Every structure is written in structure tokens, then in C-alpha cells.
């Protein structure tokens, strides 16, 4: 507790003197130091951190995902509190927060699975409430635990998804190979391991060639090799396929390896947005 109070006092001092560079470097160095205890220590501090002028001032690319003071209340509790996020086209944005911070709720709001209590969300210029059917047609998503037809093969699950999307003649086997599931097209999904199911969920999210991917904890259930393979795939999807990716995680060490920009959420409030390069430089 004493160390936390000293940390907070030093950070506030740097903010109050408007020394943005010093504040940023101090802030991220402490995140790096506390990485092992990220959920319990760092996020409890982040909840009270003011903006401190740590903002991006450079010219931005086209914004394809954005929210404007979006709020969601469940049973009188604010799960999302006046959040503003912006995701640039052709980038990977990491939405970082501990379990229960509001990451999944935000993604459901973006896709139109939930309606905001106040505020708005847009994806590809479309309103998440009024045009959610159009949004779903142009996005791929992985939200919470993926559900499949267990008795069907991976190939058949993907073909059913394509039929639901009104598409056909897509390269299903190539997509399975791309996510690390070659030769599994005829194997029933009920025989898949947790990691294989996660790979199949990512295959389903990309098989219809979306413009935007929204992935909730996409590397859950993967071993270190699998996590590295997914990082490579995500980068390829952006650099070669022109897809924009918004992904969530509770691991800063994982997010900073693959993203271009990071937004940190704590108790439903976005407490910081910063370029990943700035974070790495500060550390």
C-alpha cells in the first residue's frame, strides 16, 4: 500500500508539472515492473489516473471503429462509463484490461449485440444499433466461448457459416491451413482440443474476408507456440489482406508484441490510449 501511494504521488507530481514525457516514461516503466501482478496492482491504480495530457497529436488515418461517450448500465451498475475509443484503418488495436473490466461488453456494443444506455458506437461508418446487420456482414468476430456444431467437421462448420452469410466458393481449406489446422477438415469438432477450437473460431471469423476483425481474448487456450503463430497471422491479415483488427487481452506482454495502439480499460472506463511504439520506447 505504501509503495502504491508513493507511485501515485510521483505520477501526479509529473502530471501536475505537465511534463508529459516524464509522466509517460514513469507510468509505463511501472506497468512493466508490475507486469507479474498486472491484474491486482496496476489496474487498481489506473482507475484513478487522469488524462495528464498523454494523447496522440499526430495526424490520424481514417477511423473505422469509434465510440462517443458510450455507457452501458446493467441493474443500476455502470459496466461501461462514457468510453471513447478510436481505431484506425489498417492497424491492430489492443483493448487491455483485467477480467471484468468491460472488454467483452464493449465488443458486444460495437457489434450491436447490446444497445448502449447512452452514447453511440460506429463501425465502418455504420451505427451499431441502427445498422448492426450491415456491420455483421462486413466484420468477423470472436466473442467469449466459441460455439460450434459438435458433430460436424471444421470444414462443414465453416461452410454453414458461409451459407448463413450468403456466400459460397470461399477457400475453406486454405483458411484452415492458415490458422494452423491443416488436415483437420473432416474431423468432428467434438474431438478438438481447446486450442484447436480457438483456431477454428478465428478461421470462422476470417473465412468470409471481412474488413474488420473484433476478437475477444483470441489467444485463450493456445500454447506459447500457438500464440506466436496467431501474432504472425494477425500481422499478415493487416499487412497483406488490409483488415483492421480490434482485439482484447488482459496480458500487456502479449498485446504490446502485436498491436499498433493500446487502449486500457479499468472498471468500465477508458483510462488511457497510446501508441504501442510509445509504450515500448518508454519502457
Amino acid at each position: 500500500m505504501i509503495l502504491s501511494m508513493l507511485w501515485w504521488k510521483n505520477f501526479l507530481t509529473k502530471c501536475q508539472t505537465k511534463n508529459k514525457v516524464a509522466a509517460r516514461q514513469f507510468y509505463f516503466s511501472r506497468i512493466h515492473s508490475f507486469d507479474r501482478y498486472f491484474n491486482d496492482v496496476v489496474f487498481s491504480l489506473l482507475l484513478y489516473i487522469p488524462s495528464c495530457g498523454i494523447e496522440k497529436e499526430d495526424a490520424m488515418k481514417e477511423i473505422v471503429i469509434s465510440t462517443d461517450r458510450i455507457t452501458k448500465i446493467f441493474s443500476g451498475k455502470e459496466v461501461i462509463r462514457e468510453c471513447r475509443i478510436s481505431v484506425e484503418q489498417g492497424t491492430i488495436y489492443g483493448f487491455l484490461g483485467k477480467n471484468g473490466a468491460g472488454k467483452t461488453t464493449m465488443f458486444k456494443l460495437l457489434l450491436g449485440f447490446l444497445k448502449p444506455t447512452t452514447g453511440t458506437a460506429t463501425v465502418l461508418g455504420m451505427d451499431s444499433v441502427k445498422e448492426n446487420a450491415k456491420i455483421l456482414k462486413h466484420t468477423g468476430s470472436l466473442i467469449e466461448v466459441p460455439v460450434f456444431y459438435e458433430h460436424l467437421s471444421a470444414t462443414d462448420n465453416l461452410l454453414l457459416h458461409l451459407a448463413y452469410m450468403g456466400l459460397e466458393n470461399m477457400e475453406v481449406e486454405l483458411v484452415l491451413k492458415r490458422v494452423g489446422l491443416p488436415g483437420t477438415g473432416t474431423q468432428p469438432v467434438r474431438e478438438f482440443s481447446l486450442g484447436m477450437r480457438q483456431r477454428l473460431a478465428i478461421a470462422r471469423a476470417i473465412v468470409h474476408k471481412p474488413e474488420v476483425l473484433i476478437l475477444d481474448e483470441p489467444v485463450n487456450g493456445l500454447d506459447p507456440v500457438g500464440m506466436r503463430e496467431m501474432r504472425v497471422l494477425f500481422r499478415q491479415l493487416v499487412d497483406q489482406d488490409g483488415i483492421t483488427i480490434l482485439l482484447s487481452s488482459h496480458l500487456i506482454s502479449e498485446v504490446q508484441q502485436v498491436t499498433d495502439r493500446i487502449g486500457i480499460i479499468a472498471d468500465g472506463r477508458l483510462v488511457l490510449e497510446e501508441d504501442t511504439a510509445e509504450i515500448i520506447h518508454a519502457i
Side-chain angles (χ1 to χ4, degrees):
M1 179 60 71
I2 293 175
L3 288 175
S4 296
M5 291 174 65
L6 289 173
W7 188 97
W8 173 232
K9 180 180 179 181
N10 290 335
F11 185 80
L12 274 182
T13 300
K14 289 177 173 57
C15 288
Q16 290 165 355
T17 59
K18 298 183 179 179
N19 187 339
K20 298 179 183 179
V21 174
R24 182 186 287 112
Q25 290 177 341
F26 180 84
Y27 170 69
F28 285 118
S29 68
R30 291 307 177 271
I31 284 184
H32 185 66
S33 298
F34 289 139
D35 194 42
R36 290 178 54 196
Y37 310 100
F38 201 53
N39 286 356
D40 298 328
V41 179
V42 176
F43 279 111
S44 65
L45 296 172
L46 288 174
L47 178 61
Y48 302 102
I49 293 176
S51 64
C52 186
I54 301 177
E55 299 174 352
K56 184 178 181 180
E57 299 175 356
D58 297 335
M60 299 178 68
K61 301 178 182 178
E62 180 183 353
I63 301 300
V64 296
I65 300 174
S66 66
T67 63
D68 183 15
R69 301 185 68 179
I70 196 166
T71 298
K72 182 63 181 178
I73 299 175
F74 290 114
S75 303
K77 180 181 178 181
E78 286 185 321
V79 179
I80 299 293
R81 299 192 286 169
E82 296 192 342
C83 273
R84 284 192 175 110
I85 68 170
S86 58
V87 180
E88 298 177 358
Q89 185 179 35
T91 63
I92 302 178
Y93 183 108
F95 202 43
L96 184 65
K98 68 177 183 179
N99 294 333
K103 303 187 300 296
T104 300
T105 299
M106 175 62 82
F107 284 7
K108 289 181 178 180
L109 288 166
L110 290 171
L111 292 167
F113 297 154
L114 294 173
K115 292 183 179 181
T117 305
T118 61
T120 59
T122 59
V123 178
L124 295 168
M126 296 176 282
D127 183 89
S128 66
V129 175
K130 299 176 183 178
E131 301 174 280
N132 73 303
K134 292 182 180 179
I135 288 175
L136 293 176
K137 189 173 183 178
H138 293 277
T139 59
S141 63
L142 166 56
I143 307 294
E144 297 183 315
V145 179
V147 177
F148 304 103
Y149 292 96
E150 298 291 325
H151 63 292
L152 296 180
S153 66
T155 297
D156 287 341
N157 269 278
L158 295 185
L159 289 174
L160 275 175
H161 174 71
L162 289 171
Y164 172 77
M165 300 290 290
L167 300 171
E168 58 183 15
N169 297 325
M170 309 300 281
E171 300 171 325
V172 170
E173 295 304 323
L174 179 60
V175 170
L176 287 174
K177 181 179 180 180
R178 202 171 185 187
V179 300
L181 292 176
T184 60
T186 60
Q187 184 179 353
V189 172
R190 63 170 173 263
E191 298 178 2
F192 278 21
S193 66
L194 179 60
M196 293 173 68
R197 296 172 73 90
Q198 198 73 357
R199 290 173 185 267
L200 180 57
I202 294 171
R204 185 169 60 186
I206 68 174
V207 69
H208 58 287
K209 299 183 178 180
E211 297 177 55
V212 170
L213 278 177
I214 298 178
L215 306 175
D216 188 18
E217 302 274 3
V219 297
N220 272 1
L222 298 179
D223 58 27
V225 173
M227 294 170 72
R228 184 172 64 251
E229 290 174 349
M230 288 303 107
R231 288 197 298 268
V232 172
L233 173 62
F234 295 156
R235 201 71 256 174
Q236 290 175 346
L237 290 171
V238 172
D239 297 339
Q240 299 176 14
D241 298 41
I243 296 175
T244 301
I245 300 179
L246 169 61
L247 59 84
S248 70
S249 180
H250 60 278
L251 301 172
I252 188 171
S253 57
E254 179 62 27
V255 168
Q256 71 181 26
Q257 293 185 68
V258 71
T259 61
D260 301 295
R261 190 163 173 82
I262 293 174
I264 298 176
I265 185 171
D267 288 347
R269 183 165 65 91
L270 190 72
V271 296
L272 189 74
E273 274 191 323
E274 184 61 89
D275 286 350
T276 307
E278 290 289 334
I279 297 175
I280 294 173
H281 176 73
I283 293 174

